[in-house]
């Protein structure tokens, strides 16, 4: 069967991308070197193609490649969920567009199609990528009524080739009657927008938040036949929130078709009333917040210098009450304990909002969807997510705003136990600290608790229902008393006022909270890929030093319990399994040999970047560059698939040599 030239080129590109992803070329080079060293006779000068293919088959390389090359057809029903009531979350299939789907005829759906983009002027001079060339990509992430979706990555260009369709279920159980199909009038009362986040991924795997947009979809209810087309202008984020970054062409369609559409005048009137109601609530809250702040300053003029954060700007430059960034969030069966939640949040990347020029830190509190899709954010983003998760576990949790050493602004999480115990949670590291206040009136010779936490001052604490400003004589954390019911120490805001603008559904301007979704990454496959890439990098580095490398597979396997033990300890603060690991290593290391190990943890999957980091450690460099008569090098990598598109990698590199 012959293929057209463009189809043949496309097929070659797909195969080349898959081979690069699996690092097949590196694995072939390694097997070739081993075969020449172990199987080639001294008098034989060259290795035949047949011998190399046999070696590849024997080690399973060819089978692995064939398993990964899945050729799809027009019928892709096998990729669809068996139950139409279960929305597909984070579909990440790099195949043809879905052409068939099973929908529940008793439910109402919104079919959203993205039909290309234009005017992405930042990429005006971007050359068209060659077949097999790695390039920067755009990915569009969507959230609507507890459903999350993700488009296929497309190369960055002035006119990116977006062609994706998303079937969004409108009729959800939250409407009350789960058996009756929603009509036009019922859907008009659903104010939830479609939240769209555009992410750029560069050739090194680094992600950048390009745009965040809330699509008002209800205009389709007043369109003829329930079909309408829109042109959406995406604005930048942060300091570029007033600058256009590009335009998306979108088509909306209702399924099943509406029996009766509303007049456009009715739809516009409803939207105008909602905006008016929201604006009035926000105005009244602003008036109340100003009055509260005046009263707070009257207590003590020095309060003006404390970090009391009532409003914060999101990625679109919109000021929102800080309480609106928090909501009790349940992780389902993805995270079983609060400490697992802390570990999950801590492996999400840390990155401060970019600043153009000088002037210090740029403030940007991201919405939860933007934070999760970008897979990194500032300390406030981490603290907001961790607080929401801890509230979901039934704990009394608050976000604390204050400073660390040298007066650097910082945010962390605090939980208050029923027995009065106050625990600080550092969302960037997962560490927990018990707070024991120092009594400033005690005698200087009296023994006082020594704080282990890095926090210096605290200005306010808040969650989804409460906001309290610190009005104690000193804002130093170590002498603060966290009796939040004592209004002489903590000035509260009215819970009714907070509820009027921060409760779910209180205003149409509040971004809905997305659910967490299971990782789409196969941890076992990724672990093997990273391990093979690291082995190749170590071998090449030692070769440049004039050293040969002999890999010890059995000893590599024995390192697995150590990696599991390290991760268990990071999650639970309990050490377990070290005795078995140490006993196994003692049995495996021959007499007269020395064993050295170097464990390290990464929150990314870039093997070359991880290897460069390892070389910066003198201890690891000593292991990699080890010389001796009998040097065997074991290496083990464990990739921990973490909920919500985050991944942690733990690796251990060791050397075994004759002493």
């Amino acid at each position: 069967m012959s293929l057209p030239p463009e189809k043949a080129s496309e097929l070659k590109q797909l195969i080349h991308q898959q081979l690069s992803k699996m690092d097949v070329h590196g694995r072939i080079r390694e097997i070739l070197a081993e075969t020449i060293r172990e199987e080639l006779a001294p008098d034989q000068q060259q290795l035949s193609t047949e011998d190399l293919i046999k070696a590849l088959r024997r080690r399973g390389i060819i089978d692995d490649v064939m398993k990964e090359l899945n050729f799809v057809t027009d019928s892709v029903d096998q990729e669809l969920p068996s139950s139409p009531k279960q929305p597909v979350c984070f579909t990440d299939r790099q195949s043809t567009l879905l052409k068939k789907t099973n929908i529940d005829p008793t439910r109402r759906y919104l079919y959203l199609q993205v039909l290309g983009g234009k005017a992405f002027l930042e990429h005006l001079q971007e050359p068209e990528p060659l077949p097999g060339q790695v390039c920067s990509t755009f990915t569009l992430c969507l959230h609507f009524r507890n459903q999350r979706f993700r488009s296929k990555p497309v190369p960055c260009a002035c006119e990116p080739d977006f062609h994706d369709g998303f079937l969004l279920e409108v009729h959800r159980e939250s409407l009350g009657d789960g058996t009756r199909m929603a009509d036009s009038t019922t859907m008009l009362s659903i104010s939830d927008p479609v939240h769209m986040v555009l992410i750029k991924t560069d050739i090194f795997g680094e992600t950048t938040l390009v745009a965040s947009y809330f699509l008002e979809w209800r205009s389709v209810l007043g369109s003829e036949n329930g079909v309408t087309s829109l042109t959406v202008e995406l604005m930048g984020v942060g300091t570029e929130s007033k600058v256009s970054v590009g335009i998306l062409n979108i088509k909306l369609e209702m399924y099943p078709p509406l029996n009766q559409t509303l007049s456009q005048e009715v739809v516009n009137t409803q939207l105008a009333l909602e905006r008016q109601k929201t604006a009035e609530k926000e105005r009244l809250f602003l008036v109340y917040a100003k009055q509260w702040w005046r009263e707070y300053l009257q207590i003590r003029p020095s309060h003006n210098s404390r970090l009391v954060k009532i409003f914060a700007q999101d990625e679109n430059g919109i000021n929102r009450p800080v309480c609106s960034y928090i909501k009790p969030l349940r992780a389902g069966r993805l995270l079983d304990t609060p400490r697992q939640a802390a570990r999950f949040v801590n492996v999400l990347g840390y990155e401060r909002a970019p600043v153009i020029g000088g002037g210090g830190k740029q403030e940007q509190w991201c919405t939860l969807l933007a934070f999760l899709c970008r897979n990194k954010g500032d300390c406030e983003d981490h603290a907001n997510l961790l607080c929401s998760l801890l509230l979901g576990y039934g704990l009394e949790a608050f976000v604390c705003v204050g400073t660390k050493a040298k007066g650097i602004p910082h945010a962390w999480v605090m939980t208050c136990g029923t027995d009065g115990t106050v625990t600080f949670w550092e969302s960037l590291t997962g560490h927990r600290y018990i707070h024991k206040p120092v009594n400033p009136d005690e005698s200087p010779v009296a023994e006082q608790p020594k704080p282990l936490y890095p926090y210096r001052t605290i200005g306010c604490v808040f969650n989804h229902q409460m906001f309290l400003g610190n009005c104690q004589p000193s804002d130093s954390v170590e002498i603060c008393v966290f009796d939040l019911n004592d209004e002489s120490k903590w000035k509260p805001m009215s819970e009714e006022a907070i509820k009027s603008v921060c409760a779910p559904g209180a205003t149409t301007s509040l971004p809905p909270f997305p659910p967490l979704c299971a990782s789409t990454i196969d941890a076992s496959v990724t672990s093997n890929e990273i391990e093979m890439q690291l082995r190749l990098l170590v071998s090449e580095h030692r070769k440049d030093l004039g050293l040969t490398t002999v890999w010890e597979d059995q000893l590599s396997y024995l390192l697995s319990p150590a990696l599991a033990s390290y991760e268990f300890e990071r999650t639970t603060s309990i050490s377990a399994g070290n005795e078995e690991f140490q006993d196994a290593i003692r049995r495996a290391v021959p007499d007269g040999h020395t064993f050295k190990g170097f464990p390290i943890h990464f929150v990314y999957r870039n093997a070359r970047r991880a290897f460069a980091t390892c070389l910066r450690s003198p201890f690891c460099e000593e292991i990699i560059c080890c010389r001796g008569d009998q040097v065997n090098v074991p290496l083990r990598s464990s990739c921990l698939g973490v909920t919500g598109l985050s991944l942690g990698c733990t690796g251990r590199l060791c050397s075994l040599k004759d002493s």
Side-chain angles (χ1 to χ4, degrees), residues 238-294:
T239 55
E240 302 177 20
S241 59
K242 305 299 181 184
V243 180
S244 174
V245 296
I247 294 174
L248 292 180
N249 297 320
I250 292 177
K251 181 180 178 182
L252 301 176
E253 188 172 356
M254 298 303 304
Y255 281 112
L258 298 173
N259 296 326
Q260 180 182 5
T261 58
L262 304 173
S263 68
Q264 199 63 51
E265 182 180 358
V266 170
V267 176
N268 293 338
T269 301
Q270 172 69 16
L271 299 181
L273 287 173
E274 289 179 358
R275 286 193 294 268
Q276 181 181 355
K277 184 179 177 182
T278 295
E280 179 63 15
K281 286 185 176 182
E282 292 176 344
R283 185 190 69 82
L284 291 175
F285 182 78
L286 179 60
V287 170
Y288 170 76
K290 289 181 177 179
Q291 177 63 29
W292 183 92
W293 177 247
R294 283 193 294 269

Side-chain angles (χ1 to χ4, degrees), residues 286-441:
L286 179 60
V287 170
Y288 170 76
K290 289 181 177 179
Q291 177 63 29
W292 183 92
W293 177 247
R294 283 193 294 269
E295 295 173 357
Y296 182 71
L297 293 182
Q298 288 173 0
I299 299 173
R300 197 174 287 107
S302 61
H303 288 177
N304 191 42
S305 61
R306 296 189 179 183
L307 283 178
V308 179
K309 194 78 176 168
I310 303 175
F311 295 92
Q313 283 190 353
D314 64 10
E315 65 265 24
N316 291 323
I318 298 175
N319 276 309
R320 297 201 282 118
V322 292
C323 296
S324 67
Y325 290 88
I326 308 294
K327 177 189 174 184
L329 185 62
R330 296 194 298 183
R333 300 188 184 277
L334 301 175
L335 301 169
D336 295 325
T337 67
R339 297 196 185 188
Q340 280 188 3
R343 178 62 170 156
F344 159 61
V345 175
N346 122 251
V347 299
L348 293 171
Y350 169 65
E351 180 182 81
R352 302 178 67 176
V355 181
I356 299 178
K361 178 181 177 181
Q362 168 68 29
E363 179 186 84
Q364 179 179 304
W365 291 30
C366 284
T367 56
L368 182 55
L369 183 66
F371 177 40
L372 291 175
C373 294
R374 188 172 56 149
N375 202 25
K376 57 187 175 184
D378 213 332
C379 60
E380 294 88 357
D381 303 322
H382 288 78
N384 291 338
L385 175 55
L386 178 57
C387 182
S388 297
L389 288 168
L390 296 182
L391 287 169
Y393 285 109
L395 301 180
E396 187 180 14
F398 298 87
V399 172
C400 303
V401 178
T403 62
K404 296 194 299 184
K406 300 181 180 178
I408 299 174
H410 191 62
W412 67 97
V413 179
M414 172 185 74
T415 54
C416 301
T418 55
D419 59 353
T421 302
V422 173
T423 305
F424 294 149
W425 303 63
E426 177 49 60
S427 57
L428 296 180
T429 63
H431 294 158
R432 299 165 65 252
Y433 308 95
I434 303 298
H435 172 68
K436 295 179 180 179
V438 174
N439 187 353
D441 299 327

